[in-house]
Amino acid sequence: MNMIEMEQVSKSYQQYQVLNKITLNLPQGHIMGLLGQNGAGKTTLLKLCLGLLKADRGEIRVMEAPGWDMPPKVKEQVGYVAQKSDTLHWMNVSQLLDYTGAFYQNWDAAKVTALMQRWQLDPKSRVSDLSEGQKQRVAIIQAIGHNPKLLILDEPVASLDPMLRREFIRELIDINLENGTSVLFSTHILSDLERVASDIAILRRGEICFQGSLDELKERYVRLHLSSHSPLPKALQIQGLLHIEHSPNHIRALVENPDRAVVSALEKQLNATAQIEALGLDDIFLELHK
């Protein structure tokens, strides 16, 4: 079962097309990282999945229910952390979490109390007096206090320090393992995704350019180095070449699914030494957006 299914989904704001024919599936129990530059359409995509925006074209289903017309029983199983906290700032932390819990039949008060203590949140502090990082912690607790089956996160750790980010990642792994919670997780902190994500989707210029496992992504995109004592050509005839950087005796190229036999033939043809470099998530993301 897929927790989220998007089929040929498009969304525009007036004349500007943000998303173009997006097809995306989040399998049950998976944690998927959603990557893209600012303005790529990540927040729009997440809001479409939540039913906060309506697609111009295409179909969205969340837990097999229509995304734009989710029944209450489905909404109750979804948790959401927005990019910016926009809540009832005049309440104190305890009042806000009690108020949130009143909307859910399976609100886990013991878990919420434990998280407040672990994340050093004073239940009597007024929300308006909290730092941005503290407000973000409260928003995360609001989103996971009912042990949702689907968790949608839009830059949830942007205001957290490294220690609290690690705590949050640990909590994310726990709810995934204990409850089978599926997660769609947008963040610019790619090292966090590498710790927790089983799947990656990359959004570029309004389209999904990759969706698959993190291992598949790392196998698909590699950096090819060619070195020679003789001058090397400025262009390479190799399938899957995405871009190339050239100096007289060295070529560095990003290649998609390189054919090892072709690389060996290039070595002989150019009298060069070839090296295939595996890339981390940071490097792949930067290379794809050059």
Side-chain angles (χ1 to χ4, degrees), residues 224-227 263-264 266-267 272-276:
L224 172 64
H225 296 270
L226 286 167
S227 301
V263 172
S264 295
L266 272 176
E267 281 188 291
T273 301
Q275 178 187 356
I276 293 178

Side-chain angles (χ1 to χ4, degrees), residues 118-130:
R118 190 193 308 166
W119 292 354
Q120 300 176 352
L121 288 167
D122 181 354
K124 296 182 179 179
S125 293
R126 192 182 296 271
V127 174
S128 59
D129 295 333
L130 300 178

Side-chain angles (χ1 to χ4, degrees), residues 143-202:
I144 64 177
H146 59 297
N147 294 313
K149 289 186 178 180
L150 173 63
L151 189 56
I152 295 180
L153 307 170
D154 192 0
E155 298 287 346
V157 296
S159 301
L160 301 185
D161 62 43
M163 185 67 71
L164 282 168
R165 289 210 323 269
R166 193 171 290 268
E167 283 281 331
F168 170 68
I169 293 298
R170 187 181 77 175
E171 191 63 36
L172 206 57
I173 292 170
D174 286 347
I175 64 173
N176 173 254
L177 293 175
E178 292 170 9
N179 307 323
T181 299
S182 307
V183 184
L184 184 57
F185 182 11
S186 167
T187 182
H188 283 109
I189 305 173
L190 303 189
S191 58
D192 289 341
L193 278 185
E194 287 199 275
R195 292 191 187 101
V196 72
S198 55
D199 298 77
I200 298 292
I202 300 178

Side-chain angles (χ1 to χ4, degrees), residues 47-114:
K47 286 185 175 181
L48 287 167
C49 293
L50 290 159
L52 299 175
L53 291 174
K54 188 174 184 179
D56 300 331
R57 291 177 299 280
E59 184 179 4
I60 303 170
R61 299 190 69 79
V62 178
M63 287 180 267
E64 301 186 333
W68 178 243
D69 193 23
M70 270 186 274
K73 66 179 182 179
V74 172
K75 290 181 179 179
E76 192 173 3
Q77 299 176 71
V78 178
Y80 173 50
V81 179
Q83 214 168 24
K84 292 184 180 179
S85 175
D86 184 16
T87 188
L88 304 172
H89 294 280
W90 52 269
M91 288 184 174
N92 67 34
V93 172
S94 181
Q95 289 170 334
L96 177 60
L97 293 173
D98 287 344
Y99 175 77
T100 303
F103 289 92
Y104 298 98
Q105 293 182 7
N106 57 341
W107 186 254
D108 191 339
K111 175 180 180 174
V112 167
T113 300

Side-chain angles (χ1 to χ4, degrees), residues 251-265:
I251 288 174
R252 187 173 84 160
L254 181 69
V255 183
E256 181 178 0
N257 293 324
D259 185 323
R260 306 294 168 131
V262 172
V263 172
S264 295

